[in-house]
Amino acid sequence: MAMKSYPPEFKADAVALYLSDPARTLKSVAQDLGISRETLRNWVRQAQANGTAGAKQTGPAKKPARGPLSSDDVLEEENKQLKARIRELEMERDILRRAAKYFAGRDELVSRFQFVADHRDAFGVKRLCRVLAVSRSGFYQWLKAAPARAERAEADAALAEEIKRIHDEFDGTYGSPRVTAELRARGRRVNRKRVTRVMRVFGIAGLRLRKKVRTTVSEPSHQKVPDLLQRDFTAPAPGRRYVGDITYLPLADGGFLYLATVLDLHSRRLAGWSIADHMRTELVADALRAAQATRGSLTGAIFHSDHGAQYTSAEFAALCGRLGVRQSMGVVGSSADNAAAEAFNASLKRETLQGARHWSTAHAARLAVFRWITRYNTRRRHSALDYLSPTEYEQRPLDKVLLAA
């Protein structure tokens, strides 16, 4: 049984035994003496503090006494040390060469941990961590979390499959906000940041805006039309405020079709639209009449547009008068004064052309636009409508509509 108290001579001899030989460790000496390593450590510190013991000897363990080393022995020992150092440097060089290929331009901390894991059998963890300047404790913590990472990776792959199906279903047009809304509508509880990350990792991306081409041809109006919106593109209820614009639809033969739209600012629903191979007033008049047919009446509604010749014509003004529509126009040359209509046109062409420069035929253009507009009203989730479709937004309970107003 170990003694609970030790005489001073015992303590002094124990300290001297430990300090006398660099090969002896606290653990080995403590085991030989039947005491704990921490007890021996305290004795050594106390002895060194009061000056009764010096520092521990360094260098190789004592060898049996022998005569002084010859010059050949000294050179041989130095040669051994140099060779060992050269071998170590060669291994470090090999590690760095493999790391350069492994990282291939990416040197994140996680990548370095993975490199250590992949090469630890060849070089050892301690050496790899030293060369790559990472902590061993950090590496082992990362290694311990490997099962959880594998589980997350499997879950991300499953989520990516769901995202891909939604992305394909909507012709590759949905970005992470609409994908997130669609997943939640289907009962999937998911964070938008996670959807964004998974889409980025798996290379799933929505479409980007195309460069805008100007189609408005201004013409001095026969009458002064006020700006009744003042860039306030909202409405308290359906059928109160509309915006309209004309956009071009490019064809492979160099020609164009033209689309005129009438967009309800409350629900962003496309209430009326018209396609033709010309830009005469008849084009925008047909779109407004289509909106009147959809809504049943436009009496008292505001219709806001730019200063294109079609909208400033006497013919269109007369039609607005017959339908009870109040005309509104922004400043000449300011796209921001009709931003809602222009944003709609940009989304339509971005998501139907999908990077192409034109449609093959006029028939193909008409079908593509018709299909997109139908889906836009009934299924496409809108960022300004809490990611509901326009028709879903209009069908909300009355108390929610009044609250939003």
Side-chain angles (χ1 to χ4, degrees):
M1 182 174 179
M3 297 172 59
K4 294 185 179 181
S5 61
Y6 301 90
E9 296 82 1
F10 182 87
K11 295 180 182 180
D13 290 342
V15 171
L17 179 63
Y18 167 69
L19 295 177
S20 65
D21 189 347
R24 291 194 176 106
T25 64
L26 287 168
K27 182 178 180 180
S28 63
V29 173
Q31 287 178 339
D32 290 342
L33 299 177
I35 61 177
S36 71
R37 180 174 59 179
E38 194 59 32
T39 297
L40 179 58
R41 187 195 306 274
N42 291 335
W43 291 350
V44 171
R45 288 176 177 172
Q46 184 176 1
Q48 290 175 336
N50 59 30
T52 59
K56 183 176 177 62
Q57 292 186 14
T58 58
K62 290 184 178 180
K63 295 181 180 179
R66 56 186 244 180
L69 293 175
S70 66
S71 59
D72 290 341
D73 293 334
V74 172
L75 289 174
E76 182 180 356
E77 183 63 27
E78 290 180 351
N79 190 37
K80 288 180 180 179
Q81 294 177 5
L82 287 173
K83 286 182 178 179
R85 180 58 180 157
I86 290 172
R87 285 195 299 270
E88 183 66 24
L89 290 174
E90 287 175 343
M91 293 186 73
E92 292 181 4
R93 181 193 61 188
D94 192 17
I95 290 172
L96 293 174
R97 283 178 175 176
R98 296 192 188 189
K101 295 180 181 179
Y102 187 93
F103 296 140
R106 56 182 176 86
D107 188 20
E108 303 93 340
L109 182 62
V110 171
S111 299
R112 281 182 273 171
F113 283 157
Q114 187 62 58
F115 181 86
V116 173
D118 293 344
H119 296 82
R120 57 182 171 174
D121 292 339
F123 299 104
V125 172
K126 182 178 180 180
R127 179 183 289 108
L128 286 165
C129 289
R130 175 173 53 79
V131 174
L132 297 178
V134 297
S135 70
R136 276 188 289 169
S137 61
F139 166 72
Y140 286 117
Q141 288 176 0
W142 175 85
L143 199 63
K144 186 177 180 181
R149 284 197 307 277
E151 185 177 347
R152 285 197 301 270
E154 185 177 351
D156 284 349
L159 178 60
E161 287 296 322
E162 294 183 60
I163 292 173
K164 188 66 168 61
R165 285 195 292 271
I166 292 173
H167 195 252
D168 292 343
E169 184 178 340
F170 288 91
D171 301 328
T173 61
Y174 272 16
S176 60
R178 290 189 175 88
V179 169
T180 303
E182 188 67 28
L183 285 167
R184 290 173 178 171
R186 299 182 183 190
R188 186 75 144 86
R189 297 184 62 183
V190 65
N191 183 282
R192 176 179 166 180
K193 290 183 179 179
R194 184 186 176 201
V195 172
T196 301
R197 175 179 58 79
V198 170
M199 290 182 68
R200 182 178 65 252
V201 170
F202 286 84
I204 306 171
L207 294 175
R208 300 291 186 268
L209 285 172
R210 292 172 57 85
K211 184 178 179 181
K212 184 184 181 300
V213 177
R214 183 179 174 85
T215 57
T216 300
V217 180
S218 299
E219 178 179 282
S221 177
H222 66 286
Q223 60 178 342
K224 181 70 173 178
V225 177
D227 184 352
L228 301 177
L229 297 189
Q230 296 294 322
R231 299 189 183 181
D232 177 12
F233 301 113
T234 62
R240 304 285 185 85
R241 291 177 161 193
Y242 298 90
V243 292
D245 195 13
I246 300 174
T247 191
Y248 76 102
L249 307 175
L251 305 176
D253 61 5
F256 297 95
L257 291 180
Y258 300 93
L259 170 69
T261 56
V262 179
L263 192 72
D264 191 312
L265 287 179
H266 173 73
S267 63
R268 297 302 196 274
R269 179 179 179 180
L270 189 64
W273 57 282
S274 177
I275 296 179
D277 58 2
H278 62 79
M279 292 179 63
R280 297 190 295 272
T281 302
E282 178 186 350
L283 174 68
V284 297
D286 286 345
L288 191 62
R289 280 190 285 264
Q292 193 271 341
T294 298
R295 291 305 194 189
S297 173
L298 296 179
T299 302
I302 294 173
F303 178 76
H304 183 86
S305 68
D306 57 27
H307 284 261
Q310 302 84 358
Y311 296 113
T312 59
S313 67
E315 179 183 347
F316 189 74
L319 175 63
C320 288
R322 290 195 300 273
L323 297 178
V325 172
R326 292 187 292 163
Q327 278 190 272
S328 171
M329 293 184 185
V331 177
V332 175
S334 175
S335 61
D337 285 351
N338 202 23
E342 297 205 14
F344 171 86
N345 290 337
S347 295
L348 181 149
K349 287 201 286 188
R350 181 182 72 243
E351 297 185 8
T352 51
L353 283 171
Q354 298 195 15
R357 294 184 177 274
H358 49 68
W359 282 278
S360 57
T361 64
H363 180 68
R366 286 177 180 272
L367 287 181
V369 170
F370 173 76
R371 178 174 180 265
W372 188 88
I373 286 174
T374 302
R375 287 163 58 112
Y376 169 86
N377 278 336
T378 60
R379 296 192 61 193
R380 184 183 182 275
R381 299 185 180 277
H382 203 294
S383 58
L385 308 177
D386 296 329
Y387 289 101
L388 299 174
S389 69
T391 53
E392 287 175 328
Y393 192 77
E394 288 187 355
Q395 292 168 1
R396 293 181 307 162
L398 182 59
D399 58 340
K400 290 187 177 181
V401 174
L402 294 176
L403 183 62

